[in-house]
Amino acid sequence: MSSRYFIKKRSLNNDELCNLDCPYKSEFYKLLSETEQISNAIELLSKVNRLIINTEDENILIHEVCNKITEGNLYNFSAVFYFNESDDQYILAASSDYSIRNSELLITLFNEKDLLKAIRKNKSLLITTNNSEQNNLINSELNKCDICLILCLPLIDNSDSAFGVLVITNNSKKEFLDEEILVLEDLAYDLGIAINRIRLKEQQKEITDSLQLTETRFKLLSDFSTDIVSI
């Protein structure tokens, strides 16, 4: 487990727990809930890394990761968006939701100029739709979809530039913890590395296939030239 994750702990035996006054009981159960929330995020990271190891197709990988993130109602929505350099906008690559509505709303929100620049700075961004200064109509629609907290995690390429963003959302009843965000940042980093590895492997295969085709054509041409000389 990474040393970046610090889970708050408090030692209490059963007698102490039973004799706690209400304020202390409330504090204890809050810490217990936070610890469970961080532990769930770490377990999710482990599951995603297993997916990364066993998946060689980019499209399958990003869809499986989005589904894994929302599995068991851990988070209520997840999506991967890629940045389209030609249009200077984000496009949907994968989503955990069978409905495209959430993705359309998020794309509209992300492509607001100020927010677009913020996401492209290679830093995680937490958006609270209730307090956001962005498009109020979009925020209202997102709230109707039970999306109140939007965590944007950059997907980094080999040149340390953000080529996309992994989005994870929560409702108003569940806030993102600082330690939890650290774990999810690692998840997004690992996913970005995996996508780049798959793309590099595909590029190498294309180069190899192209070289083999050129070699075959050259051999045919050489054989044909030899036949002409023989005649």
Side-chain angles (χ1 to χ4, degrees), residues 56-176:
E56 294 295 332
D57 183 280
E58 177 182 341
N59 190 50
I60 293 175
L61 176 62
I62 57 178
H63 277 87
E64 287 295 323
V65 168
C66 287
N67 289 330
K68 189 66 66 176
I69 288 172
T70 55
E71 194 176 80
N73 295 322
L74 191 57
Y75 303 99
N76 65 354
F77 180 74
S78 177
V80 171
F81 298 91
Y82 289 155
F83 186 71
N84 189 338
E85 297 285 354
S86 59
D87 296 334
D88 201 35
Q89 288 188 335
Y90 278 98
I91 57 174
L92 176 67
S95 167
S96 64
D97 201 322
Y98 63 89
S99 170
I100 205 69
R101 180 58 176 161
N102 291 351
S103 302
E104 289 177 341
L105 290 169
L106 289 172
I107 288 176
T108 306
L109 184 67
F110 291 163
N111 288 329
E112 294 279 342
K113 289 184 178 180
D114 292 340
L115 191 53
L116 182 66
K117 291 178 181 178
I119 296 174
R120 293 278 287 172
K121 288 182 178 178
N122 294 9
K123 292 184 178 180
S124 300
L125 184 66
L126 182 59
I127 304 169
T128 304
T129 58
N130 291 332
N131 300 323
S132 174
E133 296 179 357
Q134 304 299 323
N135 191 310
N136 289 328
L137 178 60
I138 299 173
N139 292 333
S140 175
E141 290 298 315
L142 286 169
N143 287 332
K144 289 179 183 178
C145 299
D146 203 22
I147 294 178
C148 300
L149 297 170
I150 307 170
L151 181 60
C152 305
L153 305 161
L155 299 172
I156 309 298
D157 62 20
N158 294 329
S159 60
D160 291 330
S161 299
F163 66 89
V165 59
L166 172 64
V167 174
I168 303 174
T169 71
N170 265 338
N171 55 39
S172 58
K173 298 178 181 178
K174 184 180 177 184
E175 294 186 0
F176 287 100

Side-chain angles (χ1 to χ4, degrees), residues 12-59:
L12 292 172
N13 59 40
N14 290 335
D15 291 336
E16 288 175 325
L17 180 59
C18 291
N19 294 326
L20 283 176
D21 293 332
C22 289
Y24 292 103
K25 275 189 178 180
S26 175
E27 179 187 357
F28 172 78
Y29 285 118
K30 180 183 177 183
L31 291 176
L32 192 64
S33 175
E34 290 178 352
T35 300
E36 182 180 4
Q37 192 169 333
I38 298 166
S39 296
N40 288 338
I42 294 173
E43 184 179 354
L44 172 63
L45 174 61
S46 177
K47 291 178 179 179
V48 168
N49 280 329
R50 285 198 291 272
L51 276 176
I52 288 172
I53 292 171
N54 297 317
T55 309
E56 294 295 332
D57 183 280
E58 177 182 341
N59 190 50

Side-chain angles (χ1 to χ4, degrees), residues 185-217:
E185 284 176 343
D186 279 357
L187 187 156
Y189 177 81
D190 292 347
L191 179 59
I193 292 294
I195 291 171
N196 279 286
R197 175 181 58 80
I198 292 173
R199 290 179 177 180
L200 181 59
K201 191 172 181 179
E202 290 176 348
Q203 289 173 2
Q204 289 174 336
K205 185 178 184 303
E206 288 176 1
I207 293 172
T208 301
D209 291 345
S210 178
L211 287 173
Q212 288 176 345
L213 181 60
T214 301
E215 183 181 356
T216 301
R217 286 176 176 173

